[in-house]
Amino acid sequence: MSDLLVRGALLVDGTGAPARRGDALVAGGRIAALGDVGTTAGARVLDADGLVLAPGFIDLHAHSDLAVLTDPQHLAKTAQGVTTELLGQDGLSCAPVDDAALDVLREQLAGWNGVPHDLVWDWRGVGEYLDRVDAGAAVNVCYLVPQGTVRLLAVGAEDRPATDAELDRMRDLVRTGMREGAVGMSSGLTYAPGMYAGTAELVELARVVAGFGGFWAPHTRSYGRGALEAYAEAVQVARSSGAALHLTHATMNFGVNAGRAAELLALVDAALAGGVDVTLDTYPYLPGSTTLAAVLPGWASAGGPAAVLRRLADPAVLPRLRHELEVTGSDGCHGVPVEWDTLQVAGVRDPALGDAVGATVAALAQRSGREAFEVFRDLLLRDRLGTTVLQHVGHEENVRQIMRHSRHAVGSDGLLVGERPHPRAWGTFPHYLGRYVREEGVLGLEECVARMTSRPARRLGLVDRGVLRPGAVADLVLFDPATVAAGATFEEPRRTPVGIPHVLVAGVPVIADGARTDALPGRALRRGAGPGGSCGPRR
C-alpha cells in the first residue's frame, strides 16, 4: 500500500478544536504526519483544496449485522463516510445462537435484516461472528451482546421471570460474549423476548458487562407515554450495576411528549451529576422505523413468531388485541393508542404485497373499504410478520434540543431492507452536516464532527480512532462543507450522498472520487479481555 499525502485540506480533528488548514500523510494504514508536511517522495498526492479532512464517522446504532457479510459494496454506509458501525442493537441479533434460536431469529429479524438465502450462517458465538467480519468487510465493526437473544437461548420466548439457573446461564452467555470481544450489551425493552426481563434481571446482566469495562445500550421500555419512567429505569440499572449507560436513539416521541426534551436532558444531567457515565445518540429525522409487528402488546408477542401468527388468526383473541391497540395503548406501541395514519409501510417480505409500500395503514383501509385494524392484522398474517414501517411520531424541537446536549453522539438506526426504507440508513451523517450545520447552524462544524468521531470512539474504547493525530489509524473522510448533503429522501431512500468524494478505512480507499472501490479493509474491533480493555482488530 503506497503512502498518501492529502494536501491542503481543512483539518477538523474530531476533538472539537478549531479547524486549521494543513496536510496529512498516511503511511502503513496510520496517520504519519499532520500540518505542513512538505514534499514526500513516492507518496500519491490527493489535492484536498476546499475539502474537510475528518476522522471516519462512527455509527453508534446500526443494523448492518448481515449486510456487512453479504453486501461487499455497503454503499449505505461507505458513501456516508462511515468507517465503523456498532452492531448487535436493540437486544436482538445474530450471535450468540444455537440451532433452535437461529430458526426463531431468522423469522423475527426478517424485517430488520432481510432473509439473505445465500448466506451461510455457520457461526454460533460472538467470536465466530466477528471472525466472519475479519474475512473482509467494507467497514469496521464493534458488537454488543444482544440481551434478548441471550434470553431466548436461556429462557425461551415466553413471558415469565427467569429461574436462578436460567439467570446463571444468561450471565455466562454475556460473559463469554464480552470475552470474545463485544464492547457491551444491548437491550430492546419493547421487543420480545428482551422486554420480559425485569429490572433486577437487567442489573445482574449489566453487572457482568461492567466487570469488563463495557456499557449497556438499552432501547428503553417506552419513547411515548412513560418515556421518562423508562429512561429512569435505565439510569437505575446503570447505577445499581456499575455499568456505563448509552441511551440509543434517545428520543421523546408521540403527541404526549411534544416539547418535553428538556425533561429527558434534566434526567441525564442528574444522572451525570450522580456519577453515572451516560451518553446518548440520535438520528436527525422525525419518523421512527421498525417492524409492523413491533406495535403488538408484549403478551401477544410471547412464544415466538409462530405463536404470534396463531394469535392473530384466533378470533377469540382479537377483541382484546384491538382494544389494547386502539383504546388503552400497548407496551409495544409505547403506551400510546395506535394512530393508523402514522404507520407507513416501508417494506414487505412477500412481493405480492408490494402495492402496500408507501401507504399508511389508514390509507390502505380507506383504499380497501376495511377497518384499519383488519388491514393491520391481514398484513401481519400474509407477510409473516416481515412488514417494516415508518412511524411518523417525532417532534423537530425535541430533535434539535437533544442533539445539542454535551453527551450526544450520532447513530443512524438505519434498516437497510425493504422497498422504501427510512432515508436515515443512507443519509444520517451528511444530513447532520448539510442541514443542521451548514444550513441552520444548530451545531458548529467542529462540534458536529466530534459527535460523529471522537465522542463515539471514547464510548467504544477505540483509543486510536476517532481523531486526527500522528499514530492514529487512518480511518478518514474527505467532504465538501459547502455541498455535503443527504441524497436520500423518503421517496428515494437509497440515493447516495452529495459532497463526500473520499473515504479511507485503515488507509485503504473504499470511496475514491465519489465511487466505491473493491477494497474490503474493514475488521472486527474487539474489546480487550480485561476491564477497560481497548478495542482493536485481532492480530
Side-chain angles (χ1 to χ4, degrees):
M1 182 170 57
S2 62
D3 296 351
L4 173 67
L5 178 61
V6 180
R7 177 76 77 190
L10 185 66
L11 305 179
V12 178
D13 68 7
T15 68
R20 58 193 174 94
R21 191 73 53 187
D23 310 328
L25 177 64
V26 175
R30 292 183 178 266
I31 300 172
L34 284 172
D36 186 5
V37 174
T39 302
T40 303
R44 181 170 63 88
V45 177
L46 194 161
D47 181 4
D49 184 45
L51 299 178
V52 167
L53 177 66
F57 302 146
I58 298 172
D59 189 343
L60 275 180
H61 193 104
H63 287 284
S64 307
D65 306 53
L66 300 185
V68 293
L69 304 180
T70 60
D71 178 12
Q73 294 285 302
H74 203 28
L75 276 173
K77 297 305 174 70
T78 54
Q80 286 189 70
V82 171
T83 57
T84 298
E85 297 185 90
L86 179 59
L87 308 180
Q89 299 284 355
D90 294 329
L92 287 168
S93 189
C94 56
V97 293
D98 59 19
D99 290 349
L102 178 55
D103 290 341
V104 173
L105 286 168
R106 277 180 166 156
E107 290 296 305
Q108 187 166 350
L109 295 178
W112 285 4
N113 296 327
V115 186
H117 298 289
D118 56 346
L119 174 65
V120 179
W121 201 316
D122 56 0
W123 66 86
R124 291 298 179 265
V126 169
E128 293 173 336
Y129 169 75
L130 297 178
D131 288 344
R132 282 289 299 273
V133 175
D134 279 339
V139 299
N140 301 312
V141 162
C142 292
Y143 192 76
L144 297 165
V145 179
Q147 170 257 328
T149 301
V150 164
R151 200 173 208 273
L152 180 65
L153 286 166
V155 182
E158 300 305 317
D159 179 2
R160 63 172 177 81
T163 66
D164 289 346
E166 290 165 343
L167 183 56
D168 283 342
R169 189 177 179 214
M170 285 191 281
R171 289 192 192 98
D172 285 343
L173 288 165
V174 173
R175 188 176 297 113
T176 298
M178 294 299 294
R179 285 175 176 158
E180 292 177 353
V183 298
M185 179 181 75
S186 74
S187 292
L189 301 179
T190 65
Y191 298 123
M195 67 191 304
Y196 305 137
T199 303
E201 180 179 312
L202 296 171
V203 169
E204 289 303 310
L205 299 183
R207 188 169 285 134
V208 175
V209 173
F212 288 86
F215 62 93
W216 179 48
H219 167 121
T220 59
R221 295 194 196 272
S222 176
Y223 295 95
R225 181 174 289 114
L228 291 176
E229 292 82 359
Y231 284 122
E233 180 195 30
V235 171
Q236 177 188 345
V237 169
R239 182 180 290 116
S240 299
S241 66
L245 174 64
H246 181 74
L247 299 171
T248 65
H249 44 61
T251 57
M252 293 285 286
N253 285 339
F254 302 89
V256 294
N257 287 323
R260 299 185 67 191
E263 296 175 63
L264 165 60
L265 300 180
L267 186 152
V268 170
D269 288 339
L272 290 166
V276 180
D277 179 4
V278 186
T279 53
L280 54 92
D281 70 66
T282 65
Y283 47 83
Y285 297 90
L286 301 188
S289 177
T290 187
T291 62
L292 185 61
V295 305
L296 290 168
W299 62 264
S301 300
V308 175
L309 291 170
R310 285 195 298 272
R311 289 188 189 97
L312 289 168
D314 184 353
V317 172
L318 300 184
R320 177 188 176 189
L321 179 60
R322 181 170 185 166
H323 183 78
E324 291 193 19
L325 285 172
E326 296 186 335
V327 179
T328 63
S330 77
D331 48 1
C333 198
H334 307 274
V336 177
V338 171
E339 296 175 318
W340 298 115
D341 60 349
T342 68
L343 291 172
Q344 180 184 18
V345 177
V348 291
R349 186 175 181 179
D350 183 352
L353 299 171
D355 286 348
V357 174
T360 65
V361 174
L364 291 172
Q366 186 176 22
R367 182 192 302 174
S368 64
R370 296 181 295 164
E371 294 187 342
F373 174 79
E374 287 302 324
V375 171
F376 163 78
R377 172 176 170 264
D378 185 57
L379 267 175
L380 291 178
L381 285 169
R382 293 177 63 193
D383 210 24
R384 292 181 296 144
L385 312 181
T387 307
T388 56
V389 293
L390 304 185
Q391 194 166 16
H392 295 267
V393 292
H395 304 284
E396 181 67 23
E397 67 272 23
N398 286 351
V399 169
R400 290 167 181 259
Q401 192 164 354
I402 292 169
M403 73 169 65
R404 292 189 183 103
H405 193 269
S406 63
R407 302 289 283 182
H408 170 266
V410 175
S412 72
D413 194 16
L415 301 180
L416 305 178
V417 302
E419 292 80 356
R420 285 179 58 174
H422 198 305
R424 68 193 185 192
W426 291 67
T428 286
F429 291 83
H431 195 52
Y432 264 110
L433 293 167
R435 179 178 181 186
Y436 289 100
V437 173
R438 182 183 64 248
E439 295 176 4
E440 303 195 14
V442 177
L443 297 171
L445 174 63
E446 293 90 344
E447 178 62 20
C448 186
V449 169
R451 293 160 191 266
M452 299 175 172
T453 56
S454 66
R455 194 169 294 171
R458 284 197 302 272
R459 173 50 79 212
L460 297 174
L462 301 173
V463 297
D464 56 1
R465 287 176 165 84
V467 293
L468 298 183
R469 60 169 171 76
V473 175
D475 291 348
L476 304 171
V477 57
L478 281 152
F479 64 88
D480 183 347
T483 64
V484 63
T489 65
F490 287 99
E491 292 73 29
E492 297 182 76
R494 288 189 171 88
R495 288 173 55 189
T496 53
V498 174
I500 304 179
H502 299 281
V503 183
L504 290 80
V505 175
V508 178
V510 293
I511 299 288
D513 294 319
R516 179 70 171 94
T517 72
D518 60 1
L520 297 173
R523 296 294 181 266
L525 306 180
R526 294 168 166 85
R527 178 174 286 276
S534 62
C535 289
R538 176 172 291 170
R539 302 298 183 187

